[in-house]
PDB file of all heavy atoms in Angstrom:
ATOM      1  N   MET A 231      65.566 105.385 157.508  1.00 40.00           N
ATOM      2  CA  MET A 231      66.802 105.575 156.878  1.00 40.00           C
ATOM      3  C   MET A 231      67.952 105.758 157.816  1.00 40.00           C
ATOM      4  O   MET A 231      68.730 104.888 157.938  1.00 40.00           O
ATOM      5  CB  MET A 231      66.619 106.803 155.851  1.00 40.00           C
ATOM      6  CG  MET A 231      67.454 106.670 154.616  1.00 40.00           C
ATOM      7  SD  MET A 231      67.440 108.182 153.633  1.00 40.00           S
ATOM      8  CE  MET A 231      66.275 107.707 152.418  1.00 40.00           C
ATOM      9  N   PRO A 232      68.076 106.958 158.457  1.00 41.00           N
ATOM     10  CA  PRO A 232      69.219 107.025 159.372  1.00 41.00           C
ATOM     11  C   PRO A 232      69.006 106.343 160.655  1.00 41.00           C
ATOM     12  O   PRO A 232      67.864 106.208 161.123  1.00 41.00           O
ATOM     13  CB  PRO A 232      69.413 108.544 159.648  1.00 41.00           C
ATOM     14  CG  PRO A 232      68.088 109.112 159.305  1.00 41.00           C
ATOM     15  CD  PRO A 232      67.372 108.202 158.360  1.00 41.00           C
ATOM     16  N   GLU A 238      79.830 106.645 165.051  1.00 55.00           N
ATOM     17  CA  GLU A 238      79.698 105.267 165.599  1.00 55.00           C
ATOM     18  C   GLU A 238      79.747 104.246 164.451  1.00 55.00           C
ATOM     19  O   GLU A 238      79.517 103.065 164.703  1.00 55.00           O
ATOM     20  CB  GLU A 238      78.298 105.148 166.318  1.00 55.00           C
ATOM     21  CG  GLU A 238      78.195 106.061 167.568  1.00 55.00           C
ATOM     22  CD  GLU A 238      76.866 106.010 168.135  1.00 55.00           C
ATOM     23  OE1 GLU A 238      76.140 105.075 167.901  1.00 55.00           O
ATOM     24  OE2 GLU A 238      76.484 106.885 168.939  1.00 55.00           O
ATOM     25  N   LEU A 246      67.282 101.836 145.741  1.00 91.00           N
ATOM     26  CA  LEU A 246      66.383 101.970 144.599  1.00 91.00           C
ATOM     27  C   LEU A 246      65.910 100.634 144.187  1.00 91.00           C
ATOM     28  O   LEU A 246      66.688  99.642 143.997  1.00 91.00           O
ATOM     29  CB  LEU A 246      67.125 102.621 143.395  1.00 91.00           C
ATOM     30  CG  LEU A 246      66.354 102.821 142.172  1.00 91.00           C
ATOM     31  CD1 LEU A 246      65.161 103.874 142.397  1.00 91.00           C
ATOM     32  CD2 LEU A 246      67.200 103.349 141.032  1.00 91.00           C
ATOM     33  N   ASP A 261      76.524 111.248 154.868  1.00 92.00           N
ATOM     34  CA  ASP A 261      75.999 111.962 156.015  1.00 92.00           C
ATOM     35  C   ASP A 261      74.735 111.297 156.438  1.00 92.00           C
ATOM     36  O   ASP A 261      74.063 110.550 155.695  1.00 92.00           O
ATOM     37  CB  ASP A 261      75.677 113.375 155.608  1.00 92.00           C
ATOM     38  CG  ASP A 261      75.623 114.411 156.724  1.00 92.00           C
ATOM     39  OD1 ASP A 261      75.757 113.970 157.855  1.00 92.00           O
ATOM     40  OD2 ASP A 261      75.458 115.593 156.424  1.00 92.00           O
ATOM     41  N   THR A 263      71.011 111.199 156.986  1.00 94.00           N
ATOM     42  CA  THR A 263      69.959 111.869 156.395  1.00 94.00           C
ATOM     43  C   THR A 263      68.947 112.339 157.420  1.00 94.00           C
ATOM     44  O   THR A 263      68.409 111.590 158.214  1.00 94.00           O
ATOM     45  CB  THR A 263      69.214 111.031 155.374  1.00 94.00           C
ATOM     46  OG1 THR A 263      70.178 110.633 154.385  1.00 94.00           O
ATOM     47  CG2 THR A 263      68.080 111.787 154.679  1.00 94.00           C
ATOM     48  N   PHE A 267      63.135 115.351 150.369  1.00 93.00           N
ATOM     49  CA  PHE A 267      62.057 115.883 149.608  1.00 93.00           C
ATOM     50  C   PHE A 267      62.116 115.322 148.216  1.00 93.00           C
ATOM     51  O   PHE A 267      63.119 115.283 147.553  1.00 93.00           O
ATOM     52  CB  PHE A 267      62.220 117.454 149.487  1.00 93.00           C
ATOM     53  CG  PHE A 267      61.218 118.181 148.786  1.00 93.00           C
ATOM     54  CD1 PHE A 267      60.023 118.513 149.417  1.00 93.00           C
ATOM     55  CD2 PHE A 267      61.339 118.492 147.402  1.00 93.00           C
ATOM     56  CE1 PHE A 267      59.036 119.170 148.734  1.00 93.00           C
ATOM     57  CE2 PHE A 267      60.324 119.179 146.765  1.00 93.00           C
ATOM     58  CZ  PHE A 267      59.168 119.507 147.402  1.00 93.00           C
ATOM     59  N   VAL A 268      60.970 114.758 147.732  1.00 92.00           N
ATOM     60  CA  VAL A 268      60.851 114.167 146.444  1.00 92.00           C
ATOM     61  C   VAL A 268      60.149 115.086 145.526  1.00 92.00           C
ATOM     62  O   VAL A 268      59.095 115.625 145.890  1.00 92.00           O
ATOM     63  CB  VAL A 268      60.159 112.819 146.480  1.00 92.00           C
ATOM     64  CG1 VAL A 268      60.039 112.177 145.115  1.00 92.00           C
ATOM     65  CG2 VAL A 268      60.914 111.860 147.413  1.00 92.00           C
ATOM     66  N   ASP A 269      60.711 115.300 144.341  1.00 86.00           N
ATOM     67  CA  ASP A 269      60.027 116.262 143.377  1.00 86.00           C
ATOM     68  C   ASP A 269      60.175 115.579 141.964  1.00 86.00           C
ATOM     69  O   ASP A 269      61.173 115.719 141.323  1.00 86.00           O
ATOM     70  CB  ASP A 269      60.685 117.583 143.448  1.00 86.00           C
ATOM     71  CG  ASP A 269      59.990 118.594 142.377  1.00 86.00           C
ATOM     72  OD1 ASP A 269      58.744 118.445 142.261  1.00 86.00           O
ATOM     73  OD2 ASP A 269      60.759 119.392 141.816  1.00 86.00           O
ATOM     74  N   GLY A 270      59.097 114.936 141.499  1.00 86.00           N
ATOM     75  CA  GLY A 270      59.152 114.239 140.227  1.00 86.00           C
ATOM     76  C   GLY A 270      60.240 113.226 140.151  1.00 86.00           C
ATOM     77  O   GLY A 270      60.216 112.204 140.933  1.00 86.00           O
ATOM     78  N   LEU A 296      75.898 120.387 147.715  1.00 94.00           N
ATOM     79  CA  LEU A 296      76.368 121.532 148.519  1.00 94.00           C
ATOM     80  C   LEU A 296      76.765 121.098 149.884  1.00 94.00           C
ATOM     81  O   LEU A 296      76.196 120.134 150.395  1.00 94.00           O
ATOM     82  CB  LEU A 296      75.247 122.573 148.635  1.00 94.00           C
ATOM     83  CG  LEU A 296      74.724 123.245 147.397  1.00 94.00           C
ATOM     84  CD1 LEU A 296      73.458 124.006 147.779  1.00 94.00           C
ATOM     85  CD2 LEU A 296      75.765 124.158 146.863  1.00 94.00           C
ATOM     86  N   ARG A 297      77.759 121.755 150.498  1.00 95.00           N
ATOM     87  CA  ARG A 297      78.121 121.553 151.860  1.00 95.00           C
ATOM     88  C   ARG A 297      77.756 122.770 152.632  1.00 95.00           C
ATOM     89  O   ARG A 297      78.297 123.878 152.403  1.00 95.00           O
ATOM     90  CB  ARG A 297      79.590 121.202 151.952  1.00 95.00           C
ATOM     91  CG  ARG A 297      80.090 120.986 153.395  1.00 95.00           C
ATOM     92  CD  ARG A 297      79.413 119.831 154.068  1.00 95.00           C
ATOM     93  NE  ARG A 297      79.790 118.533 153.532  1.00 95.00           N
ATOM     94  CZ  ARG A 297      79.407 117.421 153.976  1.00 95.00           C
ATOM     95  NH1 ARG A 297      78.586 117.443 155.100  1.00 95.00           N
ATOM     96  NH2 ARG A 297      79.736 116.283 153.490  1.00 95.00           N
ATOM     97  N   SER A 306      61.795 122.076 151.422  1.00 95.00           N
ATOM     98  CA  SER A 306      60.569 122.252 150.747  1.00 95.00           C
ATOM     99  C   SER A 306      60.704 123.066 149.470  1.00 95.00           C
ATOM    100  O   SER A 306      61.798 123.680 149.280  1.00 95.00           O
ATOM    101  CB  SER A 306      59.556 122.917 151.675  1.00 95.00           C
ATOM    102  OG  SER A 306      58.254 122.977 151.098  1.00 95.00           O
ATOM    103  N   ARG A 310      55.336 127.251 142.679  1.00 84.00           N
ATOM    104  CA  ARG A 310      55.651 127.541 141.274  1.00 84.00           C
ATOM    105  C   ARG A 310      56.940 126.750 140.893  1.00 84.00           C
ATOM    106  O   ARG A 310      57.381 126.899 139.724  1.00 84.00           O
ATOM    107  CB  ARG A 310      55.836 128.978 140.965  1.00 84.00           C
ATOM    108  CG  ARG A 310      54.502 129.761 141.199  1.00 84.00           C
ATOM    109  CD  ARG A 310      54.618 131.197 140.779  1.00 84.00           C
ATOM    110  NE  ARG A 310      55.647 131.816 141.676  1.00 84.00           N
ATOM    111  CZ  ARG A 310      56.136 133.023 141.475  1.00 84.00           C
ATOM    112  NH1 ARG A 310      55.727 133.717 140.469  1.00 84.00           N
ATOM    113  NH2 ARG A 310      57.052 133.516 142.283  1.00 84.00           N
ATOM    114  N   PHE A 315      63.559 125.603 149.599  1.00 96.00           N
ATOM    115  CA  PHE A 315      63.712 126.240 150.917  1.00 96.00           C
ATOM    116  C   PHE A 315      64.404 125.164 151.818  1.00 96.00           C
ATOM    117  O   PHE A 315      63.936 123.986 151.882  1.00 96.00           O
ATOM    118  CB  PHE A 315      62.420 126.619 151.546  1.00 96.00           C
ATOM    119  CG  PHE A 315      61.657 127.639 150.684  1.00 96.00           C
ATOM    120  CD1 PHE A 315      60.670 127.259 149.819  1.00 96.00           C
ATOM    121  CD2 PHE A 315      62.035 128.976 150.828  1.00 96.00           C
ATOM    122  CE1 PHE A 315      59.960 128.243 149.040  1.00 96.00           C
ATOM    123  CE2 PHE A 315      61.339 129.963 150.117  1.00 96.00           C
ATOM    124  CZ  PHE A 315      60.381 129.574 149.178  1.00 96.00           C
ATOM    125  N   THR A 318      68.208 125.111 158.515  1.00 97.00           N
ATOM    126  CA  THR A 318      69.335 124.467 159.094  1.00 97.00           C
ATOM    127  C   THR A 318      69.316 124.592 160.641  1.00 97.00           C
ATOM    128  O   THR A 318      68.571 125.342 161.244  1.00 97.00           O
ATOM    129  CB  THR A 318      70.669 125.104 158.614  1.00 97.00           C
ATOM    130  OG1 THR A 318      70.633 126.503 158.942  1.00 97.00           O
ATOM    131  CG2 THR A 318      70.811 124.980 157.075  1.00 97.00           C
ATOM    132  N   GLY A 321      69.535 127.821 162.704  1.00 96.00           N
ATOM    133  CA  GLY A 321      68.459 128.778 162.604  1.00 96.00           C
ATOM    134  C   GLY A 321      68.283 129.526 161.305  1.00 96.00           C
ATOM    135  O   GLY A 321      67.529 130.450 161.235  1.00 96.00           O
ATOM    136  N   LEU A 323      67.384 130.110 157.226  1.00 96.00           N
ATOM    137  CA  LEU A 323      66.568 129.646 156.147  1.00 96.00           C
ATOM    138  C   LEU A 323      67.255 129.966 154.796  1.00 96.00           C
ATOM    139  O   LEU A 323      67.522 131.147 154.538  1.00 96.00           O
ATOM    140  CB  LEU A 323      65.205 130.330 156.197  1.00 96.00           C
ATOM    141  CG  LEU A 323      64.298 130.150 154.960  1.00 96.00           C
ATOM    142  CD1 LEU A 323      63.915 128.686 154.824  1.00 96.00           C
ATOM    143  CD2 LEU A 323      63.043 131.023 155.037  1.00 96.00           C
ATOM    144  N   ILE A 325      67.286 129.918 150.735  1.00 93.00           N
ATOM    145  CA  ILE A 325      66.451 129.942 149.610  1.00 93.00           C
ATOM    146  C   ILE A 325      67.296 129.750 148.335  1.00 93.00           C
ATOM    147  O   ILE A 325      68.074 130.607 148.010  1.00 93.00           O
ATOM    148  CB  ILE A 325      65.530 131.214 149.470  1.00 93.00           C
ATOM    149  CG1 ILE A 325      64.753 131.458 150.775  1.00 93.00           C
ATOM    150  CG2 ILE A 325      64.605 131.152 148.239  1.00 93.00           C
ATOM    151  CD1 ILE A 325      64.048 132.763 150.818  1.00 93.00           C
ATOM    152  N   LEU A 326      67.168 128.613 147.724  1.00 91.00           N
ATOM    153  CA  LEU A 326      67.909 128.344 146.554  1.00 91.00           C
ATOM    154  C   LEU A 326      67.060 128.454 145.341  1.00 91.00           C
ATOM    155  O   LEU A 326      65.905 128.050 145.359  1.00 91.00           O
ATOM    156  CB  LEU A 326      68.515 126.862 146.592  1.00 91.00           C
ATOM    157  CG  LEU A 326      69.310 126.584 147.870  1.00 91.00           C
ATOM    158  CD1 LEU A 326      69.613 125.103 147.967  1.00 91.00           C
ATOM    159  CD2 LEU A 326      70.573 127.413 147.935  1.00 91.00           C
ATOM    160  N   THR A 327      67.614 129.015 144.279  1.00 87.00           N
ATOM    161  CA  THR A 327      66.812 129.301 142.982  1.00 87.00           C
ATOM    162  C   THR A 327      67.527 128.640 141.828  1.00 87.00           C
ATOM    163  O   THR A 327      68.723 128.513 141.813  1.00 87.00           O
ATOM    164  CB  THR A 327      66.578 130.773 142.830  1.00 87.00           C
ATOM    165  OG1 THR A 327      65.764 130.870 141.702  1.00 87.00           O
ATOM    166  CG2 THR A 327      67.851 131.514 142.598  1.00 87.00           C
ATOM    167  N   LYS A 331      69.839 134.630 137.292  1.00 60.00           N
ATOM    168  CA  LYS A 331      69.796 136.036 137.589  1.00 60.00           C
ATOM    169  C   LYS A 331      70.003 136.282 139.062  1.00 60.00           C
ATOM    170  O   LYS A 331      69.306 135.716 139.894  1.00 60.00           O
ATOM    171  CB  LYS A 331      68.507 136.663 137.147  1.00 60.00           C
ATOM    172  CG  LYS A 331      68.277 136.575 135.680  1.00 60.00           C
ATOM    173  CD  LYS A 331      66.926 137.163 135.345  1.00 60.00           C
ATOM    174  CE  LYS A 331      66.629 137.021 133.865  1.00 60.00           C
ATOM    175  NZ  LYS A 331      65.264 137.523 133.531  1.00 60.00           N
ATOM    176  N   PHE A 333      69.596 138.372 142.644  1.00 57.00           N
ATOM    177  CA  PHE A 333      68.499 139.149 143.194  1.00 57.00           C
ATOM    178  C   PHE A 333      68.882 140.644 143.162  1.00 57.00           C
ATOM    179  O   PHE A 333      70.043 141.008 143.359  1.00 57.00           O
ATOM    180  CB  PHE A 333      68.213 138.771 144.643  1.00 57.00           C
ATOM    181  CG  PHE A 333      67.526 137.449 144.771  1.00 57.00           C
ATOM    182  CD1 PHE A 333      68.275 136.316 145.281  1.00 57.00           C
ATOM    183  CD2 PHE A 333      66.233 137.290 144.425  1.00 57.00           C
ATOM    184  CE1 PHE A 333      67.671 135.109 145.457  1.00 57.00           C
ATOM    185  CE2 PHE A 333      65.659 136.070 144.495  1.00 57.00           C
ATOM    186  CZ  PHE A 333      66.338 134.962 145.038  1.00 57.00           C
TER     187      PHE A 333
END
Side-chain angles (χ1 to χ4, degrees):
M231 210 186 262
E238 296 175 17
L246 179 64
D261 203 355
T263 302
F267 183 82
V268 178
D269 182 37
L296 295 171
R297 178 59 71 177
S306 185
R310 295 184 301 170
F315 301 97
T318 59
L323 170 64
I325 303 172
L326 306 171
T327 183
K331 296 177 184 178
F333 289 109

